Every structure is written in C-alpha cells, then in structure tokens.
Amino acid sequence: MRYFGLIGYPLSHSFSKAYFNQKFEQEGIPAQYENYPIPSIEEFPELIRKYPLLEGINVTIPYKEAILPYLHSVSEVVRKTGACNCIRIRNGRLEGFNTDVLGFEKSLLKSLQPAHDRALVLGTGGASKAVQYVLDKLRIPFTVISRTADPAAGILSYAELNEELLYNARLWINTTPLGMHPNVDSCPPLDYAQLGSGHYLYDLVYNPAETLFLKKGKEKGAITENGHDMLLIQAEEGWKIWNAD
C-alpha cells in the first residue's frame, strides 16, 4: 500500500482526498490518500515522524510559503515563487514542487483573449505567487491588491482602487479564500459596477462552483472561470511528480 495526503487548515473545503481515492480505486492502484489538518506548521515534523510511509503530500492554505524551511530541496519554480504545494518524499528527503503554476496557466489560457492584457491579482499568499509567476511569463502587467497596502512591494489596498484601474484591468484574479465554502456570502470588496463584457474573472476557489465574485462578474456579462480545472491539472501533475524516476 502506498500513502499520500494533504496538509492545511482547515481542510473541509478540499477535494483532493475524494479525487485521489476515487482515482486509486478506478485505476486499481493500491494507495490511500488522507487529509491531515494541522493548526500550526510547527506540527509538520511530528506528522512526518508519525507517518513514515508517506510518499507525497499536497500543501494548501495557509502553508504554501510556511512549508519551505522544512524541505530539503525545491524546484526552480518553488525557488522563484516562494511557494510550494506539492512534496515528494524519497529516502527521508522532502522535495518541494509547485504544480499551481502549470494548473493555473493551462486553465487561464482556455478563455484568455488579447483584450485581457492587464490584471488585478487579489491576495498575496502562496497561490498569488503562482499566479504572478504565470502573468510574468505571459507578459501581462498586473497590480497586486491586499487588505493592507505595501508601497515598497507595489501592493495597493482595496481602498486605493479607482474606477480607471478597475475598468482598464480586464482580468481580475481572486487568489484569496473569500467566498469559499462555508463563507459563500463573502467576496473581495471591489466596485463591481466597473465590470463589463470585456472582463475576465478567474477565481481560484472551486467550492462553491460559482462564488459570489464570479456571480457578480457573470451578471455584468464577463467571462468567468473557477479553480476546478486548475485543480484537476495540478493534481495530475503532482501524481506524475510522485511517480517520477
């Protein structure tokens, strides 16, 4: 039997356990995937000691950045983004990877149009780092938005957004957990009146399938996409990493 799992806190929103265990059953793979909700990243070493047969671990909110000091090596993408969401364990060594980047890029490109040439990235966490990496790669200028401004890092607060920026940035990407189940009545505090049919709203949240953020976009005729396809792509990429020679 092979063992894999997910760390984060909380994990009630996660799809990984059901996805991988269904995959293992359908493909006849003798493996098991479990959720490991840990209230503090400092509990991670004890988790590794307690489950020595783990071969792979996915990492979700809020530990994609905090996990880095516990890894023995990281991929180039992890080094550049400062975020890891996939760990391979070989001979006691923990190797960090970032599959969010590939998952987001492939999913985003499905509906991306030439007019979506400027972006707002909502949030500054580990998922935001992956999104920023992809936008840099695609040469799409972006502004990062957070609850608190950080002028030195070029981060604006929501209060600093004006109508011109909201209108001209035709690609809005939510990397925060706002709107995630069970808090489905929340959304980023933006002026949604500035939206039009030329906008593209992408929400990394996938539960519920249509967040309030996406609903507000759809009401204005914008293109909308949730994070489900991104998750499917990054899950399969993680499986490849865990099985690579």
Side-chain angles (χ1 to χ4, degrees), residues 111 199-202 210 214-215 217-218 222-226:
S111 300
H199 281 79
Y200 179 6
L201 270 61
Y202 192 108
E210 185 175 75
L214 294 183
K215 183 178 180 180
K218 185 174 289 186
I223 297 169
T224 61
E225 183 70 47
N226 68 24

Side-chain angles (χ1 to χ4, degrees), residues 7 14 30 49 82-83 87-88 94 101 128 166 173 203 223:
I7 65 166
S14 175
R49 284 191 290 269
I87 301 170
R88 181 171 64 196
L94 279 63
V101 165
S128 175
L166 288 167
I173 304 165
D203 199 333
I223 297 169

Side-chain angles (χ1 to χ4, degrees), residues 27 39 45 61-62 80 87 110 128 136 141 150 160 189 206 229:
E27 300 181 17
I61 295 171
K80 289 183 176 180
I87 301 170
K110 291 192 310 177
S128 175
D136 275 333
D150 184 349
E160 292 177 296
Y206 56 89
D229 280 354

Side-chain angles (χ1 to χ4, degrees), residues 22 61 83 113 123 133 192 207 222 236:
Q22 182 179 24
I61 295 171
Q113 299 175 1
Y133 181 92
Y192 292 91
N207 182 12
E236 285 303 313

Side-chain angles (χ1 to χ4, degrees), residues 21-40:
N21 284 330
Q22 182 179 24
K23 173 185 177 68
F24 296 154
E25 182 178 356
Q26 291 177 343
E27 300 181 17
I29 300 169
Q32 183 177 326
Y33 192 104
E34 291 290 344
N35 285 345
Y36 300 106
I38 53 176
S40 169

